Amino acid sequence: MTAPSLPAPDVTDRSLWAGPRVAGALAPTLAAADAERGAPWPQPLASQYARFFRDGVRTVYEAQVAARQARLTRATLAALVDPSDDRVDEVVDGVLLLCEQSSWCWAAHDDTFDRFGRITPTVTEPYLDLGAGEVAAQLAWVDHLLGPALDERAPGVRWRVRQEAQTRVLRPFTERRDWWWLGVDHPIMNWSPWIQGNVLAANLALEEDPDQRSATSALVAEGIAAYWASLPDDGGVDEGYHYWWQGAARALEAQDLLASAGIEPAPEALDRIRATVAFPHAMHLGGDWYVNVADGAARPLATWPWNVVHAWAQRVGDDAAAQHAASYRGRPGGLFDERASLPRAVGLLTGSWADAPAAAPPLVGRSVFPATGIAVARSAPGSARGVAVSVKGGHNDENHNHVDVGSVIVALDGVPVVVDAGKPTYRAGTFGPDRYDLWVVRGDWHNVPRVRGVEQAPGPQYAAGAFEVADDGADAGAAPGWRARVELAGAYPVPGLEHWWRDVRLDPDAETVTVEDSWRFSPSEPGTPDGPTAWHWLLAGDVTLTPGRAVVRFAPDDTPDGPPGRTLALTWDVADVDAELDVRALDDPELAAVWGEHLTRLRLTARAEAPSGAFRVTMRPTGSGSQEVA
């Protein structure tokens, strides 16, 4: 067997794994592991796998796979605390079930149907995707952590793990170098570090040939360097906060594993790391709410490894990023959340994070990522109290793209009220030619106008022509003057549209956001459409509409700050537009988990079209503690 090579102590370190701190953090996990031991394991079925190719449903199969891996994670952690025979046997059962699973690939990613016309896995042609990488990494960590106990209790299990990892992951990675996620005929995106970091874990723990282990590590180092080079200098991620964790954070985790193999990031990569470590806290609105663009949830539905951010923020000297990460040490649930994967769970339970003091989030006043086209400002730096606003530029062919150039999000007391719906539940078609038929992706359900009856269009050519941010106030103060300006004309396939400027202003003293659009058409351009122009505002919670005014109340249980009863009022000139509300019931479980039963679109339709003009919407709090009382 290879020497231990992953950066965590194995089961023989009883001072750690049998110590009171780990046992206390894992108490709910241990109880769950003991309760399910002896019960049937989750069983992914061929009929569930085939559903993706038959009716587009991918979540049923993936849920069974995830449940099986989660149970193995719990069993492994339980065996680390107490490597008794029955607990080790539970781990062995889970490991062998994964080894006997026909495919580690998720059906939605498998090319078996395209290549062979099959709706079941082609075991002789394993596809290396996110799912395969996740299983390989989990088995690598099980092998590393429990190797001595597995050798004693079940000789041969570790040999089987190595055979499967070689066949399904390690050889496909080294022998086939045309994987699209390596950047072959496709822009590098989050799949690249996610898969390669997991390949690296399998390589370090399971590859017995030292020369091959070094060669594979070098390939991964090359791939991670390419990912850092693909990020803009400002460290922004066009996929947004949600996929930052499955892209940049995955690359940071891979970088940690590379360090254990003696490979450190180059200076230019370290510059990108320093920049991107600032991205999560820059997107923070308050509590667990974040600015979400593309396929991202405004309130995360997963457990993220803040220990990784904390360690790298300390390394690169970003005190605000380290402070924000440390704020998660004081949240309910303590040190460890059992939803974490095995590698991330081990990271949360070991290392300096376990002893990091809790802190309050910095809630920075101003953030801007020019290359990515995202700006955020809040009225009260250091507090979730007040209003916060984000503006998006960019283009309409970004990774996990939504049609949203110029979209605005407004939060009240740390909770988004004027919102981006975010990530839907994935299924067949989510990433196919029909993607832009999905309401949650279309421009008409983002906070952007429909111009002369025409929506924004998808494609890299449909982009912000300019993205400008100015701030007359210091970050530590609350002086008026923050402004973002975006040129939207290029995002619309509208002949004759010479310009469409969107000006977004924040007055911190008055807790007021104004969004003013101004436009000009060429009067003689042939083919200029004559449909109605409409402004859309997607609102969370309950909405009351009166002439020239919509009042929005959204108060989820975990509202982080501000007195009860505060609402957000949107006002406009009633002479300019007709106002209607479109209520959208949410039957998608991921969207409903964030927003509740419905979202409401405020639709303001122009009564007349003019070759040039301007239209303004003002947003300010009302109710208890506000300058304006409803």
Side-chain angles (χ1 to χ4, degrees):
M1 295 296 175
T2 58
S5 52
L6 295 177
D10 69 9
V11 67
T12 61
D13 187 343
R14 303 314 300 154
S15 63
L16 171 66
W17 297 114
R21 181 178 57 78
V22 168
L26 289 178
T29 303
L30 301 182
D34 289 340
E36 63 196 356
R37 193 165 59 249
W41 280 74
Q43 180 62 52
L45 300 175
S47 58
Q48 296 165 346
Y49 194 93
R51 284 198 65 179
F52 178 78
F53 308 102
R54 290 171 172 167
D55 60 20
V57 174
R58 58 184 283 182
T59 53
V60 174
Y61 178 79
E62 289 176 16
Q64 289 296 312
V65 170
R68 174 178 279 183
Q69 289 179 249
R71 179 166 168 179
L72 178 57
T73 292
R74 290 188 291 271
T76 301
L77 295 171
L80 284 168
V81 173
D82 175 17
S84 58
D85 287 351
D86 56 345
R87 285 184 167 178
V88 175
D89 282 348
E90 172 84 347
V91 172
V92 170
D93 287 343
V95 166
L96 265 295
L97 282 170
L98 285 178
C99 288
E100 293 169 357
Q101 194 170 294
S102 293
S103 176
W104 292 349
C105 172
W106 297 338
H109 302 155
D110 203 342
D111 62 358
T112 184
F113 185 80
D114 292 338
R115 293 180 64 189
F116 307 110
R118 298 167 183 159
I119 61 171
T120 55
T122 302
V123 295
T124 56
E125 298 283 344
Y127 192 88
L128 179 49
D129 76 325
L130 302 174
E134 284 287 287
V135 174
Q138 183 180 35
L139 292 178
W141 277 94
V142 171
D143 181 272
H144 168 74
L145 294 166
L146 291 176
L150 294 174
D151 282 340
E152 180 178 346
R153 183 66 180 166
V157 168
R158 300 178 74 193
W159 175 88
R160 177 68 183 278
V161 166
R162 282 159 172 71
Q163 302 312 302
E164 299 295 341
Q166 284 287 345
T167 299
R168 301 175 191 241
V169 170
L170 293 176
R171 284 203 296 269
F173 178 72
T174 57
E175 295 175 1
R176 178 178 168 182
R177 302 302 295 163
D178 64 343
W179 297 106
W180 66 267
W181 40 263
L182 290 173
V184 179
D185 298 325
H186 191 283
I188 293 176
M189 41 87 81
N190 73 295
W191 275 45
S192 187
W194 189 346
I195 293 174
Q196 292 190 82
N198 283 330
V199 168
L200 180 62
N203 174 59
L204 294 177
L206 304 176
E207 176 57 67
E208 295 183 313
D209 183 336
D211 293 335
Q212 184 60 54
R213 187 163 60 247
S214 295
T216 301
S217 295
L219 284 177
V220 171
E222 179 183 305
I224 298 301
Y227 175 78
W228 293 130
S230 75
L231 294 185
D233 291 341
D234 63 24
V237 175
D238 63 2
E239 296 169 286
Y241 171 83
H242 175 86
Y243 275 103
W244 187 93
W245 288 103
Q246 303 292 33
R250 294 283 183 175
L252 293 175
E253 291 172 304
Q255 208 70 65
D256 288 335
L257 291 181
L258 286 169
S260 69
I263 303 172
E264 295 291 342
E268 56 271 22
L270 201 57
D271 289 340
R272 301 296 171 88
I273 291 171
R274 183 176 294 105
T276 200
V277 161
F279 190 77
H281 75 264
M283 297 297 106
H284 188 212
L285 296 172
D288 280 330
W289 295 95
Y290 288 81
V291 172
N292 62 313
V293 297
D295 279 347
R299 182 166 57 181
L301 303 177
T303 300
W304 301 129
W306 286 103
N307 57 302
V308 176
V309 179
H310 189 262
W312 277 97
Q314 289 186 317
R315 176 172 175 178
V316 302
D318 190 329
D319 293 339
Q323 180 183 343
H324 184 66
S327 73
Y328 280 83
R329 287 283 284 112
R331 300 291 177 92
L335 176 68
F336 169 71
D337 189 316
E338 64 177 8
R339 294 175 296 174
S341 66
L342 180 59
R344 288 181 161 178
V346 171
L348 288 165
L349 292 165
T350 61
S352 61
W353 172 253
D355 300 315
L363 293 164
V364 296
R366 310 287 187 265
S367 300
V368 60
F369 295 85
T372 310
I374 299 178
V376 186
R378 70 176 72 245
S379 62
S383 172
R385 167 74 173 176
V387 295
V389 59
S390 76
V391 183
K392 183 182 179 300
H395 60 84
N396 280 332
D397 191 39
E398 294 159 341
N399 292 307
H400 293 93
N401 181 67
H402 286 203
V403 182
D404 60 357
V405 173
S407 193
V408 174
I409 293 171
V410 178
L412 174 61
D413 297 332
V415 179
V417 179
V418 180
V419 307
D420 184 315
K423 179 184 178 295
T425 299
Y426 289 161
R427 53 173 294 131
T430 303
F431 297 103
D434 299 328
R435 175 174 175 82
Y436 294 100
D437 293 336
L438 300 172
W439 73 269
V440 74
V441 175
R442 290 176 52 186
D444 270 358
W445 288 91
H446 286 81
N447 300 317
V448 297
R450 172 182 274 256
V451 176
R452 295 282 181 93
V454 178
E455 286 186 79
Q456 285 188 19
Q461 70 273 34
Y462 297 107
F467 182 77
E468 305 165 359
V469 179
D471 182 15
D472 296 335
D475 187 61
W482 186 89
R483 175 191 185 193
R485 197 163 185 252
V486 189
E487 167 57 272
L488 304 186
Y492 293 88
V494 175
L497 180 56
E498 294 183 356
H499 74 248
W500 191 292
W501 282 103
R502 167 157 283 191
D503 277 277
V504 182
R505 296 175 184 265
L506 170 65
D507 182 338
D509 292 338
E511 292 189 330
T512 299
V513 174
T514 59
V515 180
E516 182 170 359
D517 288 355
S518 58
W519 63 89
R520 185 175 66 230
F521 287 85
S522 171
S524 59
E525 181 73 26
T528 300
D530 58 3
T533 293
W535 287 265
H536 299 138
W537 300 102
L538 191 61
L539 310 173
D542 298 320
V543 184
T544 302
L545 180 63
T546 56
R549 180 184 177 96
V551 177
V552 191
R553 182 185 300 276
F554 182 47
D557 293 338
D558 61 346
T559 300
D561 203 355
R566 294 246 288 183
T567 59
L568 189 74
L570 289 73
T571 58
W572 58 90
D573 188 337
V574 294
D576 295 331
V577 297
D578 294 315
E580 295 181 86
L581 297 180
D582 305 313
V583 178
R584 185 97 199 190
L586 298 179
D587 56 3
D588 183 304
E590 291 195 28
L591 296 175
V594 176
W595 305 117
E597 296 179 353
H598 68 277
L599 289 169
T600 302
R601 179 176 64 180
L602 171 64
R603 181 160 39 92
L604 305 176
T605 304
R607 290 176 176 168
E609 301 296 335
S612 62
F615 179 70
R616 175 185 295 182
V617 172
T618 301
M619 310 178 199
R620 60 171 58 92
T622 69
S624 175
S626 299
Q627 297 183 35
E628 177 185 350
V629 178

